[in-house]
Amino acid sequence: MLNSRSPPQYKQQSPGGSVGSASSTSQLLGHYQSAYGQQVHSHACYQHQLQQQQQQQQLQPHQQKQQHHHHHGSRTSLTPTMKRGKKQWGTRERSGMSFLIVITFFAVFGLIILTEVFMIDERTHSGMLAMRAGGGGGASLGGRMGDSMPDYDNVKDDYDLLDASILSDNKLGFVQLRDNKLKIQEAAGADGQRLAGMLLNGGGGGGGAGAFGVNVPLIPWGQVLPDKVEETLPHFPFGTRPIDGAWQVVNGTRFKFFVYSAYFDRREGARLVRVVGATKTRGPERVWCRFWYGPSAGNGTDAGSSTARAKYSSATVMARVKIIRENWNLKYSACFILCPVRTPPLSVPHFVSVVSRLRAPPGNLLTLRNTDQDADFAASRARNSSAKKGSPVGHPPPSGDNIPDRIAVCVKPLHFNYDQALYLMEYLEFYALLGVSHFTFYNHTLGPHASCVLENYQKGLVPGNLTAHDLEALTPAEAANNATPRVLRTQYQRPTVSILPWNLRMRSQKEIRTEGLFAALNDCLYRTMYRYKYLALVDLDEFIVPRYSDTLNELIGSLNQRFRNRNTGAYSFQNAFYYLQFADDSLASSGIEGGNDQLARVRANLVTQRKTRRRYKLHPQKQRSKYICKPEAVVEAGNHFVWEFAPGKGSLNVPPKEAILQHYRVCEFGGNDCIKAPSIVDRTTTKYVNRLVQRVDAVYRHLRQRCDLPALPPLLKTKENPQEKPVEITKKKPEENTNDKTKEKPKGNPKLLEPKRKLGATTNESLIKGVATATATTTTKATTKGGATKQQQSIPVTTSTKTTTTPKQSIPSANVRKKRKLIVFEINDLGVPVARVEYQ
């Protein structure tokens, strides 16, 4: 029974160091004897022991070889410990480099901050003068001059200038007069609150003497300097002619600083001189307004006489620079210089100068507009001869419903030697048909032809007659009822034109945005205020076109009647791109009814008549949109929307079914990919075609010789389209027979098809406002029985199986690209897009 038991299975000994076979055998034998009670081993057990010994002997050389290989490899490769040390050394190196980079960054950043604090905005007239105000150990006054004014201020601040709380909201300073020099510092009150104002040395000593033994009264921002100081400042600049609407320099500034015009703003009970200028966007330099009072608007001829000097007096006020928001983050920006006219003791001045150094003579002299003595309001001047000294006698400008119900247009500065004379005529005459009375242009660089055209409009040397009329398109319901189209006539009035110079010495798009166009827009805003009820700020390639009204006055009147919002200060219109890469409308070369070849050539060259395809999707409001505003309701005008309204005013978004902004330009991102966008045919401008062509032709023929205008290009004769001519064409397949059975016959009686064709033509004409579309016309074939041919209203009818073709109608070869099938939308009279198929 003992011999039948299998020997126990022992685990193989792990290869390690060399162990003697005797020791391992004795251990195994001892274990076996303890298990079997000191009995004699069987033959199987003995064989098992021998096998174990042989296995150990075979494994021993292999273990020694591995040990030898391990010791030999350690000489050429790194141990794990060495590898970990090398990795830790690279990590420490990278950490040290990162720490050095961080330290360097903070050092450079700190250097920039220190430079900003101690060097930027330093001025030659600023100083660091410590002194004490009052006696008895008052609070010390000191600080640094050069803190920039806030870039954007609430419009409420412009009308709360009489409120004393404004003093704590401005970083202004005080002026100390010593040794015939003016130094500016910040001021801190006795209670620790910083006061923004001016401290001036008074005469004599007393209990309130400061460190210099003089009194230092506090004069807040916006108040006039004392008479003692005013008498020591330079007098009126005789020999300098007051200018309105021209860039003038502000002397003594570190950065560029120019002023263009000055206006008196009396809205909301404020009395404010608002100067339009251009200066540094961030941290504008501090300036002063010097008001000039005189007997008349012009300089006296006896400039050197003492009597002439005695007629002019002055007052000086610390100004506040307000940066116009739309500046594109460039170095320079358009700005307002705000100077309050506090009463008493000040009255409205005649002229104003902006200076940075009080002791230096002024480098500019601006005529103040929108005052009671403004020449534009001279017709309604009054009666009152008893006025206080220094105040002009006149009549205030109209306001509210008393403002004439007229529309003006402002155009941004014309640059790059703009010289498209014919397009300029189209622009002026189209807006004149829309009811615009006045245009304001800013001449940066104009070509000779365009300059001559504008000068003739400015002088009123263009003809002012208009006899043409247009017919208003009928709606489908009106056409079904055989209604009579309404005749569109215009009580034409020749528009007036103002051309102002615009020689701003700043690099466009590098230092300031597009020749400082935002200064031009806001100058035009205040220039037309109280003179025109509405103002449109649009570019030369933009037309605000109403859909159901004939003029902009009718459109605005309809909007006011429907919405009845008395707080509306602007009307915003969505933008639609009429890309110039779109194909010309074939109707543009068809001339006008009852016209000659000259009128046909004029129409073929008018952009509003050639380009009738626009992008289907309109831009949302405030993106590419333009607006018509009430000037007295706007404080700061922008390019696409109003930045600041007067308190209580807002904007009305005009629905696109009422009017849109038609923008004629090339693809905005370059190339021609823009025309791949979904488009639609919109012929709203064709309702002005007869009147517009007659007006442009009359002006062109009148100025043809005076301005040496180029001749109109000849009218391109389009190739005869087989679809527009009655051509008999029948295609024959090779497998077809010549039997009459294979001929396709029209469904229905051909005599009954004719009224349907007439009805279809009438519907198409009403769809495109009375004008047929050449690309939408198709030919219709009719075949009579027995091969007899009847021609009904130029409709071709085939007579035989023989194919008849014209030389221009050739079968295209196999390698000719097939025409693309497009789905095109057209606007019907109801403003609803209607789809049709077109092949290109």
Side-chain angles (χ1 to χ4, degrees):
M1 184 175 178
L2 179 63
N3 295 333
S4 63
R5 293 183 59 184
S6 62
Q9 300 294 329
Y10 299 102
K11 295 183 179 180
Q12 184 178 355
Q13 188 176 0
S14 60
S18 61
V19 182
S21 60
S23 61
S24 60
T25 304
S26 61
Q27 292 177 1
L28 179 64
L29 185 58
H31 176 73
Y32 187 82
Q33 290 177 353
S34 62
Y36 291 94
Q38 301 295 328
Q39 295 182 4
V40 181
H41 298 287
S42 64
H43 178 73
C45 182
Y46 178 76
Q47 292 294 331
H48 178 70
Q49 291 179 2
L50 292 178
Q51 291 178 1
Q52 291 291 336
Q53 291 177 4
Q54 291 177 1
Q55 290 178 0
Q56 290 180 3
Q57 291 176 1
Q58 291 177 0
L59 291 174
Q60 186 174 0
H62 180 69
Q63 294 175 358
Q64 293 177 358
K65 185 178 180 180
Q66 285 185 348
Q67 292 178 359
H68 176 74
H69 177 73
H70 174 72
H71 290 291
H72 180 73
S74 62
R75 298 175 186 176
T76 58
S77 60
L78 296 176
T79 62
T81 304
M82 296 176 65
K83 291 181 179 180
R84 286 194 300 270
K86 184 177 181 181
K87 183 177 181 181
Q88 293 176 0
W89 177 82
T91 304
R92 288 195 298 269
E93 185 181 25
R94 287 194 296 269
S95 301
M97 293 180 64
S98 301
F99 179 75
L100 182 61
I101 292 175
V102 171
I103 293 299
T104 305
F105 171 77
F106 279 104
V108 173
F109 182 74
L111 183 61
I112 294 174
I113 295 298
L114 291 177
T115 304
E116 176 72 19
V117 171
F118 293 106
M119 297 183 64
I120 294 181
D121 287 337
E122 290 292 335
R123 297 173 177 82
T124 57
H125 61 267
S126 63
M128 301 293 293
L129 180 62
M131 58 181 300
R132 291 185 175 273
S140 61
L141 303 178
R144 178 182 63 86
M145 179 57 186
D147 293 336
S148 61
M149 292 293 296
D151 290 327
Y152 311 133
D153 300 287
N154 195 312
V155 63
K156 188 174 183 296
D157 294 344
D158 299 345
Y159 300 101
D160 290 347
L161 299 177
L162 300 180
D163 190 357
S165 63
I166 195 175
L167 301 180
S168 61
D169 296 333
N170 295 275
K171 296 180 180 179
L172 300 179
F174 66 87
V175 175
Q176 196 229 335
L177 183 64
R178 186 185 180 212
D179 296 334
N180 205 24
K181 295 180 181 179
L182 291 172
K183 292 188 177 182
I184 306 176
Q185 286 185 333
E186 293 179 350
D191 56 351
Q193 182 181 7
R194 188 173 71 71
L195 298 178
M198 299 175 293
L199 291 177
L200 298 168
N201 282 344
F212 297 95
V214 293
N215 294 327
V216 280
L218 179 66
I219 299 180
W221 169 73
Q223 287 191 1
V224 63
L225 288 179
D227 293 338
K228 289 184 178 181
V229 179
E230 192 67 37
E231 292 174 357
T232 62
L233 301 181
H235 296 285
F236 183 80
F238 288 94
T240 301
R241 184 175 61 90
I243 299 177
D244 169 52
W247 286 108
Q248 303 180 60
V249 67
V250 178
N251 292 330
T253 57
R254 183 178 178 184
F255 300 96
K256 294 180 182 179
F257 205 135
F258 301 99
V259 291
Y260 188 79
S261 55
Y263 301 94
F264 182 61
D265 192 352
R266 66 186 75 198
R267 293 173 293 179
E268 301 295 327
R271 294 164 56 86
L272 185 70
V273 171
R274 188 182 295 267
V275 180
V276 178
T279 186
K280 192 170 179 286
T281 303
R282 303 295 174 184
E285 300 181 67
R286 217 158 277 145
V287 292
W288 304 72
C289 283
R290 298 206 62 192
F291 299 151
W292 305 103
Y293 303 89
S296 62
N299 270 334
T301 55
D302 50 351
S305 62
S306 58
T307 56
R309 292 181 179 274
K311 293 180 181 179
Y312 287 89
S313 60
S314 64
T316 304
V317 174
M318 178 176 282
R320 170 181 163 201
V321 179
K322 182 179 180 182
I323 299 297
I324 290 178
R325 292 170 172 83
E326 205 163 352
N327 51 60
W328 289 65
N329 252 349
L330 296 176
K331 183 177 181 180
Y332 293 100
S333 169
C335 68
F336 289 124
I337 298 100
L338 307 178
C339 310
V341 181
R342 299 187 183 274
T343 178
L346 294 182
S347 58
V348 181
H350 293 123
F351 316 108
V352 62
S353 297
V354 179
V355 298
S356 63
R357 300 182 183 181
L358 291 177
R359 290 298 178 185
N364 54 82
L365 186 62
L366 301 172
T367 301
L368 189 62
R369 294 177 60 90
N370 294 349
T371 60
D372 293 351
Q373 70 271 20
D374 197 304
D376 294 339
F377 312 129
S380 57
R381 279 188 181 177
R383 57 288 150 206
N384 189 5
S385 59
S386 60
K388 57 183 179 180
K389 182 180 179 181
S391 63
V393 178
H395 191 272
S399 61
D401 296 335
N402 296 326
I403 300 177
D405 190 9
R406 299 182 298 177
I407 301 178
V409 166
C410 291
V411 182
K412 68 181 183 181
L414 302 174
H415 49 211
F416 299 139
N417 293 313
Y418 183 84
D419 203 27
Q420 300 184 23
L422 183 63
Y423 183 80
L424 196 57
M425 298 178 198
E426 178 183 3
Y427 182 84
L428 294 170
E429 295 300 334
F430 192 95
Y431 269 112
L433 294 176
L434 291 175
V436 174
S437 303
H438 183 76
F439 294 87
T440 302
F441 294 94
Y442 295 88
N443 180 13
H444 182 265
T445 49
L446 264 178
H449 300 124
S451 179
C452 179
V453 170
L454 289 180
E455 288 177 0
N456 280 271
Y457 272 97
Q458 186 179 21
K459 298 176 182 178
L461 301 179
V462 296
N465 58 323
L466 176 62
T467 58
H469 65 274
D470 292 281
L471 298 178
E472 186 179 25
L474 298 177
T475 63
E478 293 173 342
N481 296 330
N482 296 326
T484 303
R486 183 169 66 97
V487 178
L488 299 178
R489 298 184 184 274
T490 300
Q491 299 294 331
Y492 181 82
Q493 292 184 356
R494 184 172 49 208
T496 58
V497 173
S498 298
I499 309 173
L500 300 174
W502 195 260
N503 53 345
L504 179 59
R505 296 194 295 272
M506 291 182 179
R507 291 178 298 172
S508 178
Q509 309 295 27
K510 294 184 178 180
E511 291 184 334
I512 197 168
R513 177 69 176 175
T514 318
E515 282 82 27
L517 70 97
F518 304 112
L521 297 180
N522 283 276
D523 172 79
C524 191
L525 171 72
Y526 287 92
R527 191 173 295 273
T528 56
M529 191 176 291
Y530 310 121
R531 298 164 179 82
Y532 301 92
K533 192 169 186 178
Y534 301 103
L535 173 67
L537 294 94
V538 290
D539 297 341
L540 277 179
D541 55 356
E542 297 171 341
F543 298 84
I544 300 176
V545 182
R547 296 200 173 275
Y548 304 114
S549 305
D550 193 48
T551 63
L552 294 176
N553 304 75
E554 295 177 2
L555 171 65
I556 296 176
S558 175
L559 293 175
N560 292 337
Q561 185 177 5
R562 291 169 55 189
F563 293 98
R564 297 186 180 276
N565 189 357
R566 303 189 63 180
N567 295 327
T568 301
Y571 306 86
S572 181
F573 301 88
Q574 290 182 256
N575 175 76
F577 277 141
Y578 286 70
Y579 292 121
L580 299 182
Q581 285 93 334
F582 281 135
D584 292 350
D585 195 331
S586 59
L587 296 179
S589 58
S590 62
I592 62 175
E593 184 179 357
N596 50 23
D597 292 340
Q598 171 68 14
L599 297 180
R601 287 198 300 269
V602 171
R603 180 182 181 181
N605 287 276
L606 298 181
V607 177
T608 55
Q609 305 301 316
R610 290 192 299 113
K611 303 299 179 181
T612 57
R613 182 178 295 278
R614 67 170 175 87
R615 185 177 177 180
Y616 182 76
K617 184 178 180 181
L618 302 178
H619 286 80
Q621 292 288 352
K622 294 190 177 182
Q623 293 184 17
R624 302 279 187 173
S625 60
K626 289 300 174 70
Y627 57 92
I628 299 176
C629 68
K630 299 177 181 178
E632 70 278 3
V634 178
V635 176
E636 181 181 330
N639 191 17
H640 300 291
F641 55 89
V642 176
W643 278 101
E644 285 186 6
F645 285 98
K649 300 297 182 180
S651 180
L652 173 65
N653 295 333
V654 179
K657 65 179 182 179
E658 298 290 339
I660 61 173
L661 176 73
Q662 300 190 181
H663 195 171
Y664 299 87
R665 59 161 298 164
V666 297
C667 297
E668 63 268 31
F669 302 112
N672 298 322
D673 292 340
C674 62
I675 63 176
K676 297 179 182 178
S679 61
I680 188 173
V681 175
D682 188 349
R683 293 189 175 94
T684 307
T685 55
T686 56
K687 65 180 180 180
Y688 304 99
V689 56
N690 294 331
R691 292 170 289 174
L692 180 62
V693 170
Q694 187 187 52
R695 284 297 310 154
V696 174
D697 177 67
V699 176
Y700 174 81
R701 286 188 289 103
H702 181 75
L703 300 180
R704 174 75 172 85
Q705 300 296 332
R706 295 190 179 188
C707 298
D708 193 19
L709 299 179
L712 294 176
L715 186 63
L716 298 178
K717 294 183 179 180
T718 59
K719 295 182 179 181
E720 295 180 357
N721 191 345
Q723 294 180 349
E724 297 177 0
K725 294 186 64 179
V727 181
E728 300 177 2
I729 302 174
T730 303
K731 293 184 179 180
K732 175 182 173 184
K733 295 183 180 181
E735 63 272 14
E736 289 181 346
N737 297 325
T738 57
N739 299 331
D740 292 340
K741 297 180 181 180
T742 60
K743 299 177 183 178
E744 293 183 1
K745 296 182 180 181
K747 297 181 180 180
N749 192 347
K751 296 182 179 180
L752 299 178
L753 293 177
E754 189 62 29
K756 294 183 180 180
R757 297 189 192 101
K758 293 181 179 180
L759 180 59
T762 305
T763 306
N764 191 31
E765 289 179 358
S766 63
L767 192 67
I768 59 176
K769 304 187 186 304
V771 186
T773 308
T775 58
T777 58
T778 58
T779 57
T780 308
K781 302 174 185 178
T783 306
T784 60
K785 296 180 180 180
T789 304
K790 289 184 180 180
Q791 277 206 331
Q792 299 178 358
Q793 306 231 341
S794 300
I795 297 178
V797 182
T798 58
T799 58
S800 65
T801 58
K802 184 179 180 180
T803 303
T804 305
T805 59
T806 60
K808 294 184 180 180
Q809 183 70 21
S810 59
I811 300 176
S813 59
N815 58 355
V816 177
R817 190 185 65 175
K818 296 182 179 180
K819 294 184 178 180
R820 294 187 302 172
K821 181 178 180 181
L822 300 178
I823 299 178
V824 183
F825 294 86
E826 292 183 352
I827 295 292
N828 60 8
D829 295 334
L830 299 178
V832 179
V834 179
R836 65 179 176 85
V837 179
E838 183 178 282
Y839 294 91
Q840 291 185 355

